[in-house]
Amino acid sequence: MKRGVLTVLSGFSGSGKGTIIKKLLSVHPDTYALSVSATTRQKRMNEKTGVFEQDGVDYFFLTKEEFEKRIVEDRFIEYATYNENYYGTPKDYVFECLDKGLDVILEIEVQGALQIKEKFPDALLIFMTPPDAETLYQRLIGRGTETEDVVRRRMKTAIFESSLMDRYDYVLVNDTIDECAEKMHQMVTLAHDRAVCSTKLIDEIKKQLNTFSFD
Ligand code: 5GP
């Protein structure tokens, strides 16, 4: 059995990462696992349902002290500070799922994504974007829940993030949900066959070839 692909999905706030991940998990429940991150930010309320985020489901909500203790204990694959809060990917679950052959999705921001690429060169990095900047802006103000200040801050963050987009393996344009989710699935599926993920097969073929002799 092949190990799963460690798949990082980043993208501008408002690019629709959450929707695409939900779609992917519902269409391919036996292929993917979604990593639950730890954070020091407060739980948020869902504007539509009025329900608060749940510990262990949306995030593991930790105090700053607990988070810093876990950094020292080396319990994160990566971590970063975003809007003055810590966010990090706990190690155990990710490695367990990869060993089981599941493709693990990390929905994380750009600094964490680049740490992952550095530590795991076989990780697949996908950056999601709306088709153009105007659409991104319209999606942000269209939510109707954000103040002008928040929209301005998110657009500024987008400018910073765009400077790192070319460090990713793929850029995924989110135009329609179904097409975008399918395209992401194709990217991950093909990633299994990259040479960097096929070292065992390569070694085996080399060994087999060496049993032939043509002197
Ligand atoms: P939010 O507070 O809106 O849920 O997330 C803010 C940002 O943190 C998003 O860009 C999200 O992708 C990112 N993020 C969530 N979990 C992690 C994580 O474990 N590590 C890193 N580096 N970023 C994360």
Side-chain angles (χ1 to χ4, degrees):
M1 187 180 60
K2 265 197 159 185
R3 214 171 129 81
V5 171
L6 182 57
T7 305
V8 171
L9 183 67
S10 305
F12 304 126
S13 172
S15 62
K17 288 165 291 182
T19 312
I20 296 304
I21 290 174
K22 250 191 219 147
K23 180 84 199 175
L24 213 52
L25 292 173
S26 74
V27 179
H28 307 281
D30 301 330
T31 306
Y32 294 100
L34 178 62
S35 160
V36 178
S37 295
T39 184
T40 56
R41 81 150 163 74
Q42 297 296 308
K43 287 178 188 169
R44 259 191 229 136
M45 192 180 72
N46 182 310
E47 301 284 343
K48 280 184 208 150
T49 59
V51 175
F52 273 94
E53 289 175 320
Q54 276 179 282
D55 189 46
V57 176
D58 301 287
Y59 281 103
F60 295 103
F61 293 94
L62 305 180
T63 60
K64 188 162 176 262
E65 291 68 33
E66 179 59 28
F67 199 105
E68 287 175 343
K69 183 166 161 266
R70 294 189 190 191
I71 294 173
V72 174
E73 291 168 352
D74 195 25
R75 288 171 65 180
F76 296 114
I77 301 178
E78 62 72 39
Y79 68 92
T81 308
Y82 184 90
N83 284 342
E84 290 159 24
N85 282 301
Y86 282 124
Y87 291 82
T89 306
K91 268 183 186 169
D92 297 355
Y93 180 73
V94 171
F95 291 141
E96 237 170 66
C97 292
L98 289 174
D99 288 343
K100 282 186 198 154
L102 291 167
D103 297 326
V104 180
I105 303 175
L106 312 184
E107 196 238 290
I108 64 177
E109 53 66 68
V110 289
Q111 307 161 69
L114 296 178
Q115 287 178 45
I116 293 282
K117 194 67 181 175
E118 187 99 3
K119 286 191 196 158
F120 308 99
D122 57 347
L124 177 71
L125 265 59
I126 302 175
F127 193 97
M128 185 181 290
T129 175
D132 51 59
E134 181 59 27
T135 310
L136 177 66
Y137 180 67
Q138 291 301 332
R139 278 189 199 167
L140 285 179
I141 57 171
R143 280 180 178 179
T145 50
E146 321 291 8
T147 62
E148 221 176 277
D149 239 23
V150 170
V151 173
R152 192 173 310 119
R153 186 156 46 84
R154 295 217 164 127
M155 288 301 278
K156 273 196 168 164
T157 304
I159 292 171
F160 164 67
E161 289 167 337
S162 70
S163 72
L164 296 169
M165 273 170 86
D166 58 4
R167 308 268 295 271
Y168 282 66
D169 297 304
Y170 288 107
V171 172
L172 177 61
V173 176
N174 185 6
D175 219 338
T176 64
I177 295 170
D178 288 357
E179 266 177 46
C180 181
E182 186 47 36
K183 208 163 193 189
M184 178 161 165
H185 180 59
Q186 287 170 5
M187 289 170 179
V188 179
T189 304
L190 278 176
H192 282 270
D193 295 330
R194 290 172 306 165
V196 73
C197 293
S198 308
T199 46
K200 269 192 197 144
L201 175 67
I202 293 171
D203 287 346
E204 190 55 37
I205 291 186
K206 279 183 187 164
K207 237 191 270 162
Q208 290 169 5
L209 282 170
N210 279 323
T211 65
F212 294 81
S213 98
F214 292 103
D215 294 336

